[in-house]
Amino acid sequence: MSILNRTRPLPFLVTTELPCPYLTARMERKVVTELSGPAAADTYETLSRAGFRRSHGIAYRPACRGCQACVPVRVVAGEYDPGRTLRRIERRNEDLRSAVRPARATQEQYRLFSRYLEHRHSDGEMLGMNLQEYGAMIETSPLDTRIVELRAPSGTLMACCLTDWTKDGVSAVYSFFDPDLPARSLGSYVVVWLIREAQRWGLPYVYLGYWVEGSRKMEYKSRFRPIELYGPDGWQRAAL
């Protein structure tokens, strides 16, 4: 399986099956390809528009047997229309200070990341990642990858989001935040912040990865409007 990558075919592999992290009693597998060389950014531009995501130096997309529950989604930043709930979340967090930094791992980030996993994803495969593994997740990228840090006025790190920046938008690769402050809805606020930043730079989309109907972990993505889903006919607007 391959697509044309200028001068040579791009090879794809299919992973072995593992338990699905979103739907019980399901198995997942992915189609993957390596992102490397001087054309890596251009290659990913094409793949991201076809619903692929990135992890480390790999682009991937679900390829599960008999299941198409994982649907790529993106927010149309220029037409973002927040409802009452998202407007409240934005006001609630307007005191936070933001910084967009090179993708470099720190001990401070890692401590927040570990707390987040322990409280929010205690059954996930990432639980127990050590600092070196966390560093590889943050720093291994052939793309324009940056980490967003959101801090309280006191300087305390409240939330982070690893992001990939492309010609047509910003992709939220992975976000984590202080799990002891549910009233702030920091996970949703990170997305709001990315939408505002995309607007500021004239970028049309914010890519949010996959939406899975019936998965509580994915419910927050349905708050954002207008949203587009990728299917057999390409990107189409829809209501989740």
Side-chain angles (χ1 to χ4, degrees):
M1 183 178 182
S2 66
I3 66 172
L4 184 65
N5 183 27
R6 293 189 175 179
T7 60
R8 63 181 180 85
L10 186 65
F12 289 81
L13 299 173
V14 177
T15 65
T16 57
E17 289 186 321
L18 294 171
C20 176
Y22 303 114
L23 299 175
T24 57
R26 301 276 187 96
M27 301 295 288
E28 72 162 1
R29 67 175 187 174
K30 298 182 177 74
V31 57
V32 302
T33 189
E34 184 181 7
L35 297 170
S36 61
D42 288 341
T43 298
Y44 187 68
E45 290 277 352
T46 301
L47 292 176
S48 67
R49 293 170 189 171
F52 278 74
R53 301 284 288 165
R54 181 192 66 80
S55 176
H56 297 73
I58 298 295
Y60 69 90
R61 207 183 140 179
C64 306
R65 300 177 190 272
C67 181
Q68 296 181 330
C70 291
V71 181
V73 295
R74 67 186 185 185
V75 182
V76 183
E79 301 176 40
Y80 172 57
D81 183 22
R84 185 179 304 173
T85 298
L86 288 175
R87 286 196 294 268
R88 283 200 301 263
I89 290 172
E90 190 167 11
R91 289 194 299 269
R92 199 176 297 149
N93 291 285
E94 62 185 6
D95 62 322
L96 299 186
R97 304 198 315 264
S98 62
V100 182
R101 304 188 183 282
R104 297 289 181 268
T106 68
Q107 289 272 4
E108 182 185 32
Q109 294 167 10
Y110 175 68
R111 288 193 295 269
L112 181 62
F113 171 76
S114 297
R115 285 180 53 221
Y116 170 78
L117 289 182
E118 289 170 2
H119 286 77
R120 300 293 293 264
H121 297 284
S122 58
D123 59 344
E125 61 182 17
M126 298 175 74
L127 187 68
M129 283 178 61
N130 59 35
L131 179 59
Q132 184 176 6
E133 292 167 331
Y134 170 77
M137 181 182 78
I138 298 297
E139 298 177 5
T140 305
S141 170
L143 309 179
D144 179 3
T145 300
R146 313 170 200 173
I147 190 160
V148 178
E149 295 182 346
L150 300 175
R151 295 180 181 274
S154 64
T156 301
L157 185 62
M158 306 284 280
C160 291
C161 185
L162 184 66
T163 56
D164 288 337
W165 297 74
T166 62
K167 294 175 183 176
D168 74 339
V170 56
S171 175
V173 178
Y174 194 81
S175 61
F176 52 95
F177 49 85
D178 190 327
D180 296 325
L181 300 170
R184 278 189 177 266
S185 300
L186 287 166
S188 291
Y189 179 66
V190 165
V191 178
V192 172
W193 188 93
L194 291 176
I195 293 170
R196 296 303 189 195
E197 193 71 358
Q199 291 173 338
R200 189 166 78 90
W201 290 100
L203 298 172
Y205 303 112
V206 174
Y207 289 85
L208 296 183
Y210 301 106
W211 177 75
V212 181
E213 185 175 7
S215 171
R216 292 186 61 188
K217 296 177 182 179
M218 299 294 185
E219 286 178 354
Y220 76 96
K221 296 180 183 181
S222 65
R223 297 177 175 179
F224 300 95
R225 297 285 190 276
I227 200 161
E228 294 184 349
L229 282 62
Y230 185 84
D233 299 320
W235 292 98
Q236 303 286 331
R237 295 199 182 189
L240 300 182

